[in-house]
């Protein structure tokens, strides 16, 4: 499993922390993650790589 890849779509997740930068530099610090968004990640992949901004936006758009 690659921590730089979104577990939902397989594209780059833009995780600055996984890329070696301070966690405070990551886009996710400014994002709001609605309840249920992480339920879409297969259990064995949870907390191993971040979802990407696109998948987060698509989840929010679906309501």
């Amino acid at each position: 499993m690659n921590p730089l890849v979104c577990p939902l779509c397989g594209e780059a997740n833009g995780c600055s922390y996984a890329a070696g930068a301070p966690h405070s530099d990551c886009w996710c610090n400014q994002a709001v993650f609605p309840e249920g968004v992480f339920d879409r990640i297969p259990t064995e992949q949870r907390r191993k790589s971040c979802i990407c901004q696109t998948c987060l936006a698509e989840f929010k758009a679906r309501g």
Side-chain angles (χ1 to χ4, degrees), residues 17-53:
Y17 182 68
H23 188 266
S24 59
D25 291 351
C26 197
W27 68 269
C28 69
N29 284 310
Q30 306 301 318
V32 175
F33 293 86
E35 187 172 327
V37 69
F38 299 114
D39 295 341
R40 298 186 60 219
I41 300 171
T43 304
E44 65 277 0
Q45 293 182 335
R46 288 184 192 162
R47 300 193 177 274
K48 296 189 174 119
S49 66
C50 299
I51 65 171
C52 67
Q53 292 180 41

Side-chain angles (χ1 to χ4, degrees), residues 4-9 11-16 25-34 37 40 50-61:
L4 298 174
V5 173
C6 175
L8 299 177
C9 68
E11 297 295 324
N13 59 18
C15 181
S16 298
D25 291 351
C26 197
W27 68 269
C28 69
N29 284 310
Q30 306 301 318
V32 175
F33 293 86
V37 69
R40 298 186 60 219
C50 299
I51 65 171
C52 67
Q53 292 180 41
T54 301
C55 285
L56 177 60
E58 288 175 1
F59 182 86
K60 288 179 176 182

